[in-house]
Amino acid sequence: MPRPKRCRRIFFEPRVTYFKPVGVVLRNLDEWVLTRDELEAIRLIDHEEIEQSKAGKKMKISQPTLSRLLKSARKKIAEALIHGNAIKIQ
């Protein structure tokens, strides 16, 4: 049985939760789902430029967990940009 999920702190609520390429009909797009945890990791590390250990403490998760979230988020964003897919934040 897996360990129970710890409550993660998220300090940012995005106003926009969907991104798609201009000029492409939505029904023709594949969609990548970016979780709020992944978005917060991207925000803290890439936008706020906080060290991973400090960002992990801020989110109340370990640095390795933060690193996994960051890797997952960056992969989804890269795939969506390269292949022209939509990104949904939920």
Side-chain angles (χ1 to χ4, degrees), residues 32 34 42 70-85 87:
W32 288 93
L34 193 67
I42 289 283
L70 200 54
K71 183 177 180 179
S72 172
R74 287 176 175 163
K75 178 155 178 63
K76 290 176 183 179
I77 292 168
E79 289 285 335
L81 291 174
I82 289 167
H83 298 292
N85 301 133
I87 300 173

Side-chain angles (χ1 to χ4, degrees), residues 1 3 11 14 16 28 38 43 55:
M1 187 168 148
R3 286 179 43 193
F11 299 96
V16 177
N28 296 337
E38 291 168 332
R43 185 185 74 85

